[in-house]
PDB file of all heavy atoms in Angstrom:
ATOM      1  N   TRP A 238     -63.841  -0.173  92.876  1.00 97.00           N
ATOM      2  CA  TRP A 238     -63.770  -1.168  93.964  1.00 97.00           C
ATOM      3  C   TRP A 238     -62.585  -0.868  94.885  1.00 97.00           C
ATOM      4  O   TRP A 238     -62.709  -0.924  96.113  1.00 97.00           O
ATOM      5  CB  TRP A 238     -63.643  -2.568  93.368  1.00 97.00           C
ATOM      6  CG  TRP A 238     -63.663  -3.657  94.382  1.00 97.00           C
ATOM      7  CD1 TRP A 238     -64.755  -4.290  94.902  1.00 97.00           C
ATOM      8  CD2 TRP A 238     -62.516  -4.247  95.032  1.00 97.00           C
ATOM      9  NE1 TRP A 238     -64.372  -5.225  95.828  1.00 97.00           N
ATOM     10  CE2 TRP A 238     -63.007  -5.219  95.927  1.00 97.00           C
ATOM     11  CE3 TRP A 238     -61.147  -4.034  94.942  1.00 97.00           C
ATOM     12  CZ2 TRP A 238     -62.153  -5.994  96.714  1.00 97.00           C
ATOM     13  CZ3 TRP A 238     -60.295  -4.797  95.734  1.00 97.00           C
ATOM     14  CH2 TRP A 238     -60.809  -5.767  96.609  1.00 97.00           C
ATOM     15  N   ILE A 239     -61.437  -0.554  94.268  1.00 97.00           N
ATOM     16  CA  ILE A 239     -60.240  -0.285  95.070  1.00 97.00           C
ATOM     17  C   ILE A 239     -60.412   0.983  95.900  1.00 97.00           C
ATOM     18  O   ILE A 239     -60.031   1.032  97.080  1.00 97.00           O
ATOM     19  CB  ILE A 239     -58.989  -0.204  94.178  1.00 97.00           C
ATOM     20  CG1 ILE A 239     -58.625  -1.627  93.725  1.00 97.00           C
ATOM     21  CG2 ILE A 239     -57.816   0.430  94.905  1.00 97.00           C
ATOM     22  CD1 ILE A 239     -57.447  -1.702  92.807  1.00 97.00           C
ATOM     23  N   TYR A 240     -61.004   2.023  95.313  1.00 97.00           N
ATOM     24  CA  TYR A 240     -61.270   3.239  96.089  1.00 97.00           C
ATOM     25  C   TYR A 240     -62.142   2.914  97.302  1.00 97.00           C
ATOM     26  O   TYR A 240     -61.937   3.450  98.410  1.00 97.00           O
ATOM     27  CB  TYR A 240     -61.956   4.292  95.228  1.00 97.00           C
ATOM     28  CG  TYR A 240     -61.013   5.240  94.523  1.00 97.00           C
ATOM     29  CD1 TYR A 240     -61.104   5.451  93.151  1.00 97.00           C
ATOM     30  CD2 TYR A 240     -60.047   5.959  95.229  1.00 97.00           C
ATOM     31  CE1 TYR A 240     -60.244   6.329  92.492  1.00 97.00           C
ATOM     32  CE2 TYR A 240     -59.184   6.835  94.586  1.00 97.00           C
ATOM     33  CZ  TYR A 240     -59.291   7.015  93.221  1.00 97.00           C
ATOM     34  OH  TYR A 240     -58.437   7.893  92.581  1.00 97.00           O
ATOM     35  N   ASN A 241     -63.119   2.052  97.120  1.00 96.00           N
ATOM     36  CA  ASN A 241     -63.978   1.659  98.246  1.00 96.00           C
ATOM     37  C   ASN A 241     -63.176   0.924  99.321  1.00 96.00           C
ATOM     38  O   ASN A 241     -63.385   1.139 100.516  1.00 96.00           O
ATOM     39  CB  ASN A 241     -65.136   0.795  97.758  1.00 96.00           C
ATOM     40  CG  ASN A 241     -66.176   1.600  97.005  1.00 96.00           C
ATOM     41  OD1 ASN A 241     -66.278   2.816  97.178  1.00 96.00           O
ATOM     42  ND2 ASN A 241     -66.938   0.943  96.155  1.00 96.00           N
ATOM     43  N   GLU A 242     -62.259   0.062  98.883  1.00 96.00           N
ATOM     44  CA  GLU A 242     -61.403  -0.646  99.843  1.00 96.00           C
ATOM     45  C   GLU A 242     -60.523   0.332 100.627  1.00 96.00           C
ATOM     46  O   GLU A 242     -60.176   0.075 101.770  1.00 96.00           O
ATOM     47  CB  GLU A 242     -60.526  -1.676  99.114  1.00 96.00           C
ATOM     48  CG  GLU A 242     -61.288  -2.874  98.578  1.00 96.00           C
ATOM     49  CD  GLU A 242     -61.940  -3.688  99.671  1.00 96.00           C
ATOM     50  OE1 GLU A 242     -61.217  -4.141 100.590  1.00 96.00           O
ATOM     51  OE2 GLU A 242     -63.175  -3.867  99.624  1.00 96.00           O
ATOM     52  N   LEU A 243     -60.164   1.419  99.976  1.00 97.00           N
ATOM     53  CA  LEU A 243     -59.348   2.450 100.634  1.00 97.00           C
ATOM     54  C   LEU A 243     -60.205   3.469 101.385  1.00 97.00           C
ATOM     55  O   LEU A 243     -59.693   4.475 101.882  1.00 97.00           O
ATOM     56  CB  LEU A 243     -58.483   3.170  99.587  1.00 97.00           C
ATOM     57  CG  LEU A 243     -57.403   2.311  98.901  1.00 97.00           C
ATOM     58  CD1 LEU A 243     -56.790   3.065  97.728  1.00 97.00           C
ATOM     59  CD2 LEU A 243     -56.323   1.908  99.896  1.00 97.00           C
ATOM     60  N   GLU A 244     -61.505   3.187 101.440  1.00 96.00           N
ATOM     61  CA  GLU A 244     -62.489   4.021 102.134  1.00 96.00           C
ATOM     62  C   GLU A 244     -62.590   5.429 101.529  1.00 96.00           C
ATOM     63  O   GLU A 244     -62.897   6.403 102.215  1.00 96.00           O
ATOM     64  CB  GLU A 244     -62.175   4.096 103.636  1.00 96.00           C
ATOM     65  CG  GLU A 244     -62.248   2.726 104.308  1.00 96.00           C
ATOM     66  CD  GLU A 244     -61.992   2.785 105.806  1.00 96.00           C
ATOM     67  OE1 GLU A 244     -61.748   3.891 106.340  1.00 96.00           O
ATOM     68  OE2 GLU A 244     -62.045   1.718 106.449  1.00 96.00           O
ATOM     69  N   LYS A 245     -62.345   5.509 100.229  1.00 97.00           N
ATOM     70  CA  LYS A 245     -62.537   6.759  99.484  1.00 97.00           C
ATOM     71  C   LYS A 245     -63.807   6.591  98.655  1.00 97.00           C
ATOM     72  O   LYS A 245     -63.763   6.382  97.443  1.00 97.00           O
ATOM     73  CB  LYS A 245     -61.317   7.059  98.618  1.00 97.00           C
ATOM     74  CG  LYS A 245     -60.049   7.304  99.444  1.00 97.00           C
ATOM     75  CD  LYS A 245     -58.850   7.625  98.552  1.00 97.00           C
ATOM     76  CE  LYS A 245     -57.599   7.906  99.389  1.00 97.00           C
ATOM     77  NZ  LYS A 245     -56.417   8.213  98.537  1.00 97.00           N
ATOM     78  N   TYR A 246     -64.932   6.673  99.363  1.00 96.00           N
ATOM     79  CA  TYR A 246     -66.197   6.240  98.771  1.00 96.00           C
ATOM     80  C   TYR A 246     -66.692   7.159  97.656  1.00 96.00           C
ATOM     81  O   TYR A 246     -67.281   6.692  96.683  1.00 96.00           O
ATOM     82  CB  TYR A 246     -67.246   6.115  99.879  1.00 96.00           C
ATOM     83  CG  TYR A 246     -66.811   5.157 100.975  1.00 96.00           C
ATOM     84  CD1 TYR A 246     -66.618   5.606 102.292  1.00 96.00           C
ATOM     85  CD2 TYR A 246     -66.541   3.819 100.692  1.00 96.00           C
ATOM     86  CE1 TYR A 246     -66.191   4.738 103.289  1.00 96.00           C
ATOM     87  CE2 TYR A 246     -66.118   2.946 101.679  1.00 96.00           C
ATOM     88  CZ  TYR A 246     -65.936   3.408 102.976  1.00 96.00           C
ATOM     89  OH  TYR A 246     -65.513   2.552 103.949  1.00 96.00           O
ATOM     90  N   GLU A 247     -66.464   8.446  97.779  1.00 96.00           N
ATOM     91  CA  GLU A 247     -66.925   9.351  96.729  1.00 96.00           C
ATOM     92  C   GLU A 247     -66.177   9.097  95.422  1.00 96.00           C
ATOM     93  O   GLU A 247     -66.788   9.061  94.348  1.00 96.00           O
ATOM     94  CB  GLU A 247     -66.745  10.813  97.169  1.00 96.00           C
ATOM     95  CG  GLU A 247     -67.721  11.244  98.258  1.00 96.00           C
ATOM     96  CD  GLU A 247     -67.607  12.723  98.579  1.00 96.00           C
ATOM     97  OE1 GLU A 247     -66.889  13.438  97.844  1.00 96.00           O
ATOM     98  OE2 GLU A 247     -68.225  13.169  99.559  1.00 96.00           O
ATOM     99  N   ASP A 248     -64.874   8.891  95.527  1.00 96.00           N
ATOM    100  CA  ASP A 248     -64.085   8.560  94.338  1.00 96.00           C
ATOM    101  C   ASP A 248     -64.538   7.216  93.756  1.00 96.00           C
ATOM    102  O   ASP A 248     -64.655   7.058  92.536  1.00 96.00           O
ATOM    103  CB  ASP A 248     -62.596   8.491  94.682  1.00 96.00           C
ATOM    104  CG  ASP A 248     -62.021   9.857  95.029  1.00 96.00           C
ATOM    105  OD1 ASP A 248     -62.404  10.844  94.380  1.00 96.00           O
ATOM    106  OD2 ASP A 248     -61.186   9.932  95.949  1.00 96.00           O
ATOM    107  N   GLY A 249     -64.774   6.265  94.637  1.00 96.00           N
ATOM    108  CA  GLY A 249     -65.221   4.952  94.203  1.00 96.00           C
ATOM    109  C   GLY A 249     -66.534   5.022  93.460  1.00 96.00           C
ATOM    110  O   GLY A 249     -66.700   4.424  92.386  1.00 96.00           O
ATOM    111  N   LEU A 250     -67.478   5.775  94.005  1.00 96.00           N
ATOM    112  CA  LEU A 250     -68.789   5.912  93.381  1.00 96.00           C
ATOM    113  C   LEU A 250     -68.676   6.563  92.004  1.00 96.00           C
ATOM    114  O   LEU A 250     -69.344   6.146  91.053  1.00 96.00           O
ATOM    115  CB  LEU A 250     -69.711   6.734  94.277  1.00 96.00           C
ATOM    116  CG  LEU A 250     -71.158   6.890  93.790  1.00 96.00           C
ATOM    117  CD1 LEU A 250     -71.832   5.537  93.630  1.00 96.00           C
ATOM    118  CD2 LEU A 250     -71.944   7.781  94.752  1.00 96.00           C
ATOM    119  N   GLU A 251     -67.806   7.532  91.893  1.00 96.00           N
ATOM    120  CA  GLU A 251     -67.612   8.229  90.612  1.00 96.00           C
ATOM    121  C   GLU A 251     -67.211   7.239  89.513  1.00 96.00           C
ATOM    122  O   GLU A 251     -67.765   7.252  88.410  1.00 96.00           O
ATOM    123  CB  GLU A 251     -66.524   9.298  90.766  1.00 96.00           C
ATOM    124  CG  GLU A 251     -66.200  10.045  89.479  1.00 96.00           C
ATOM    125  CD  GLU A 251     -64.999  10.966  89.616  1.00 96.00           C
ATOM    126  OE1 GLU A 251     -64.607  11.273  90.769  1.00 96.00           O
ATOM    127  OE2 GLU A 251     -64.441  11.355  88.577  1.00 96.00           O
ATOM    128  N   PHE A 252     -66.261   6.368  89.815  1.00 96.00           N
ATOM    129  CA  PHE A 252     -65.795   5.412  88.806  1.00 96.00           C
ATOM    130  C   PHE A 252     -66.821   4.305  88.549  1.00 96.00           C
ATOM    131  O   PHE A 252     -66.975   3.848  87.413  1.00 96.00           O
ATOM    132  CB  PHE A 252     -64.440   4.829  89.215  1.00 96.00           C
ATOM    133  CG  PHE A 252     -63.287   5.727  88.868  1.00 96.00           C
ATOM    134  CD1 PHE A 252     -62.851   6.692  89.763  1.00 96.00           C
ATOM    135  CD2 PHE A 252     -62.669   5.638  87.635  1.00 96.00           C
ATOM    136  CE1 PHE A 252     -61.800   7.539  89.433  1.00 96.00           C
ATOM    137  CE2 PHE A 252     -61.614   6.482  87.295  1.00 96.00           C
ATOM    138  CZ  PHE A 252     -61.176   7.437  88.194  1.00 96.00           C
ATOM    139  N   LEU A 253     -67.515   3.874  89.585  1.00 96.00           N
ATOM    140  CA  LEU A 253     -68.541   2.850  89.395  1.00 96.00           C
ATOM    141  C   LEU A 253     -69.687   3.377  88.520  1.00 96.00           C
ATOM    142  O   LEU A 253     -70.212   2.654  87.671  1.00 96.00           O
ATOM    143  CB  LEU A 253     -69.061   2.372  90.748  1.00 96.00           C
ATOM    144  CG  LEU A 253     -68.059   1.561  91.575  1.00 96.00           C
ATOM    145  CD1 LEU A 253     -68.577   1.347  92.988  1.00 96.00           C
ATOM    146  CD2 LEU A 253     -67.761   0.218  90.919  1.00 96.00           C
TER     147      LEU A 253
END
Side-chain angles (χ1 to χ4, degrees):
W238 184 87
I239 286 178
Y240 269 128
N241 287 338
E242 289 297 303
L243 294 170
E244 298 182 0
K245 296 181 178 180
Y246 303 117
E247 289 185 9
D248 292 321
L250 184 59
E251 178 188 343
F252 278 89
L253 291 170

